[in-house]
Amino acid sequence: MYEKGRAWIELSIQHLEHNVRLFQKLLPKGCALMPAVKANAYGHGMELICKQLQKLGIRNYCVASAVEGARLRRAGIHGQILVLGYTHPRDLDLLVEYDLTQTVIDCAYGKILKDFGKKLSVHIGIDTGMHRLGESYENISGIRELWNCRNLQITGVYSHLCTSDGTTETDRTYMRLQEMRFQKVLRYLQAEGRKGFATHLQGSYGILNKEELTGTYDLARVGIALYGVFSESSTELERKYDLRPVLSLKARITSVKELKAGEGAGYGLAWHADSARRLAAVSIGYADGLPRALSNKGHALVKGKKVPIVGRVCMDQLLLDVTEVPEVCPGEEAVFIGRSGTYEIRAEEMAAEAGTITNEILSRLGERLVRVIV
Ligand SMILES: *Cc1c(COP(=O)(O)O)cnc(C)c1O
């Protein structure tokens, strides 16, 4: 099969390395990158990305589930793999078999892990105010109890910030409050003489906005920004940090046709030609993760020109109005994320047009796309 035959992702290893080095410079001495490679490395392809990260010296990773962790081990990834989410009691053997570190998502779950009876490496999640996972920072005695579970080897204690990507003073204040609560727990454990565990608090935005925080931690769970992308476009952060997008999304133009003024196109004839137009059918659709919300809204680059998506995005195909691109032929490429000539469409732009954030756009890029390293 020709890998660029239909629809594909191109990965820039140079850009990945650039972003890794940029973050390593940003992190305080002694703090290691623990890339978030969940959801197929935010759609990039977790095996390909982690093999490159491993070559760059990365030794810690975080994933959402034990199955994702097992997938990394089978791909030959060494080092610590932390499962951030819940692992069903019936799947706990996966943790042992693949040497995965499990999050203690709360004290009740700690009991389940203890009762499993086999030795497990765990990080304790602390809820400092997001109210998703983690034991409440207020339940110090419950947290302390976990050290009495003989089969739990506690190798980390962490929390997660929920407003670190916000720009308002309220967001910043809450971020600092969460850190204060986390540090309270850490101070308590320290006073008890508990040690030998790594601490971590920050994701991408916790690092990008680190001047809001006072502490330093052993690990940083950087996800979206390591792929060279902000969750949403921000002129301030773009000026401050030279992140380079790792991923480009491209697809093949398969057919070109001329429409007369007044003719409609696509499902529901949701688009009509207001004058004579030339349309190109492209072999990518919402099943590939290109949002249907981009119907009559999104854009692509063809031969260095920006052209609109017209009509409804289909499951496997869509239509572009290529009237403004002279001599466009079947077999040519359409770029949905990435560069063509002097133009670039960034994931942030596509996300804004689709009414979402880049994290969702990228992590939903489908299985059917072929990932190629360039
Ligand atoms: C996904 C996730 C991260 C990474 O977040 P980014 O904003 O993509 O850097 C970090 N920590 C936890 C707990 C997560 O679930």
Side-chain angles (χ1 to χ4, degrees):
M1 181 200 66
Y2 175 43
E3 51 196 13
K4 297 184 180 181
R6 181 183 169 268
W8 67 98
I9 283 169
E10 292 178 8
L11 299 169
S12 164
I13 295 313
Q14 282 79 16
H15 286 189
L16 181 66
E17 176 163 12
H18 169 90
N19 300 331
V20 165
R21 299 304 177 217
L22 186 147
F23 269 96
Q24 285 173 332
K25 277 193 207 121
L26 279 177
L27 298 178
K29 220 168 132 58
C31 179
L33 263 184
M34 179 163 64
V37 293
K38 59 195 184 186
N40 202 20
Y42 291 48
H44 291 60
M46 72 193 306
E47 290 89 351
L48 284 173
I49 291 292
C50 290
K51 279 180 188 168
Q52 296 302 325
L53 291 173
Q54 186 155 276
K55 276 191 205 159
L56 297 175
I58 300 297
R59 291 292 173 266
N60 300 279
Y61 306 86
C62 36
V63 294
S65 70
V67 168
E68 286 182 342
R71 198 172 139 188
L72 283 190
R73 288 287 186 233
R74 286 198 296 269
I77 301 303
H78 310 297
Q80 173 169 248
I81 300 179
L82 171 65
V83 178
L84 297 167
Y86 170 79
T87 302
H88 192 280
R90 282 163 70 166
D91 287 332
L92 291 177
D93 270 321
L94 283 175
L95 302 176
V96 179
E97 186 180 349
Y98 291 100
D99 184 24
L100 308 175
T101 299
Q102 172 62 43
T103 297
V104 180
I105 62 170
D106 54 32
C107 283
Y109 189 68
K111 171 103 174 41
I112 291 174
L113 295 180
K114 175 182 166 233
D115 293 345
F116 175 57
K118 296 188 192 168
K119 199 153 196 70
L120 292 175
S121 167
V122 299
H123 284 202
I124 300 175
I126 309 289
D127 177 12
T128 54
M130 185 176 183
H131 303 133
R132 187 177 64 175
L133 293 187
E135 182 55 45
S136 169
Y137 74 100
E138 292 176 301
N139 184 11
I140 293 285
S141 63
I143 294 165
R144 192 182 58 187
E145 278 288 295
L146 293 167
W147 265 267
N148 298 331
C149 305
R150 288 264 156 250
N151 52 323
L152 299 188
Q153 194 185 356
I154 300 169
T155 53
V157 176
Y158 76 94
S159 188
H160 191 47
L161 302 168
C162 60
T163 63
S164 58
D165 61 340
T167 49
T168 70
E169 199 40 48
T170 316
D171 294 325
R172 297 296 156 91
T173 304
Y174 200 73
M175 175 177 173
R176 290 192 292 266
L177 175 69
Q178 283 195 276
E179 183 184 42
M180 275 165 50
R181 290 168 168 177
F182 184 52
Q183 290 189 343
K184 194 175 157 193
V185 173
L186 296 180
R187 272 199 306 276
Y188 183 88
L189 294 173
Q190 196 181 25
E192 282 220 313
R194 302 292 178 199
K195 49 185 178 224
F197 56 84
T199 60
H200 44 111
L201 176 67
Q202 298 144 294
S204 297
Y205 281 83
I207 299 297
L208 297 174
N209 295 319
K210 67 186 163 69
E211 51 283 0
E212 301 293 330
L213 302 173
T214 59
T216 59
Y217 305 95
D218 302 308
L219 296 165
R221 306 182 305 267
V222 181
I224 191 69
L226 207 64
Y227 305 101
V229 172
F230 297 101
S231 289
E232 292 177 271
S233 130
S234 149
T235 35
E236 192 194 325
L237 290 177
E238 278 155 31
R239 219 170 278 147
K240 195 161 163 196
Y241 299 108
D242 173 31
L243 296 182
R244 305 201 181 150
V246 173
L247 176 146
S248 301
L249 176 64
K250 303 183 179 182
R252 204 54 71 188
I253 291 176
T254 57
S255 178
V256 178
K257 40 185 62 81
E258 310 283 342
L259 267 73
K260 297 190 196 82
E263 286 188 301
Y267 285 124
L269 298 179
W271 177 86
H272 281 86
D274 54 6
S275 55
R277 309 303 292 174
R278 189 181 317 114
L279 298 193
V282 184
S283 49
I284 188 169
Y286 59 76
D288 300 295
L290 197 123
R292 190 169 178 274
L294 292 180
S295 298
N296 277 326
K297 210 166 181 186
H299 294 86
L301 303 175
V302 175
K303 296 178 113 177
K305 285 221 165 67
K306 193 168 176 182
V307 300
I309 294 175
V310 296
R312 291 193 189 139
V313 173
C314 314
M315 189 179 288
D316 320 302
Q317 302 183 73
L318 55 75
L319 295 169
L320 297 174
D321 181 348
V322 293
T323 315
E324 307 307 323
V325 192
E327 295 160 16
V328 64
C329 295
E332 272 157 349
E333 294 180 9
V335 178
F336 293 86
I337 298 172
R339 285 184 176 282
S340 174
T342 54
Y343 270 103
E344 181 180 18
I345 295 180
R346 293 190 52 121
E348 290 89 340
E349 184 180 339
M350 180 191 277
E353 286 181 330
T356 183
I357 58 172
T358 58
N359 310 49
E360 183 178 2
I361 296 282
L362 296 175
S363 66
R364 295 176 74 149
L365 292 175
E367 286 290 310
R368 212 159 53 178
L369 299 168
V370 181
R371 273 87 177 157
V372 262
I373 286 177
V374 292

